Amino acid sequence: MGLTTSTFKQAAVYGSAAALGRLGGFIMLPIYAHAFGTTGYGVIGMINLGLEFVLSLLGRGLNAAMLRVYHEEDGLRKNTVITTGVTLVAGGSFGLAALGSACSVPLSQVLLGDGSSYPLFCLAFAALFLEPPGGATSSVLEIRQQSSLFAVVNVVRLVISLSLKRLT
């Protein structure tokens, strides 16, 4: 298989996984709006925005750094980069998720004026625990050029993400 053909095949697989994720979120939008009403959906939107901010600081930066350092290293040190990167991402995610879950009632009271929304924060912190390690796994699959498995992992991540949002 030529370089051009391989490039287009990889791009099609990666692109279809990303498009499927966006399509799933778009399809679920009216379902969430109906199930939670305008106020509940607004609360979930605010929590998700905060979560996306934290994820952009935590997981995505570390995944990009892992890719860069991996390609700078040679030989056996490449595996060390992967192990260290995944461990850092998973450890940081677990720490933040545990701390956030422990503080979910006060967060709900301070941010929403009502402590009864703490389960929404707990579910958001569960997503915070799951999302960055999933991104690190995706980075490893990108490094190893396993585009089909990358697409499968991202579809599983999508299903988990939509499920957590549905449970809230």
Side-chain angles (χ1 to χ4, degrees):
M1 181 181 321
L3 181 61
T4 304
T5 306
S6 176
T7 301
F8 279 115
K9 177 188 170 237
Q10 299 289 327
V13 172
Y14 290 127
S16 64
L20 184 61
R22 299 290 181 208
L23 179 64
F26 180 73
I27 290 170
M28 293 301 291
L29 223 126
I31 295 169
Y32 294 150
H34 178 71
F36 299 116
T38 54
T39 305
Y41 193 69
V43 168
I44 291 170
M46 184 188 75
I47 292 171
N48 280 335
L49 182 62
L51 182 64
E52 283 297 319
F53 177 72
V54 171
L55 286 172
S56 70
L57 296 175
L58 175 70
R60 295 186 182 108
L62 286 173
N63 291 339
M66 185 172 67
L67 285 170
R68 180 173 181 235
V69 172
Y70 176 86
H71 290 295
E72 289 176 353
E73 294 296 328
D74 48 326
L76 297 175
R77 290 181 54 111
K78 288 184 181 246
N79 288 333
T80 304
V81 170
I82 291 173
T83 304
T84 303
V86 170
T87 302
L88 283 172
V89 170
S93 297
F94 178 74
L96 281 175
L99 178 65
S101 293
C103 298
S104 62
V105 172
L107 274 173
S108 177
Q109 290 171 338
V110 168
L111 296 174
L112 303 174
D114 180 14
S116 66
S117 296
Y118 79 92
L120 298 176
F121 283 92
C122 289
L123 288 171
F125 288 118
L128 177 66
F129 173 66
L130 295 172
E131 180 64 26
T137 303
S138 294
S139 295
V140 171
L141 295 174
E142 281 183 87
I143 287 170
R144 296 186 177 151
Q145 297 181 352
Q146 295 175 313
S147 58
S148 298
L149 190 53
F150 174 88
V152 169
V153 166
N154 280 304
V155 168
V156 169
R157 286 173 62 197
L158 167 69
V159 169
I160 290 171
S161 175
L162 292 176
S163 298
L164 285 174
K165 289 178 184 176
R166 180 65 180 119
L167 289 173
T168 58

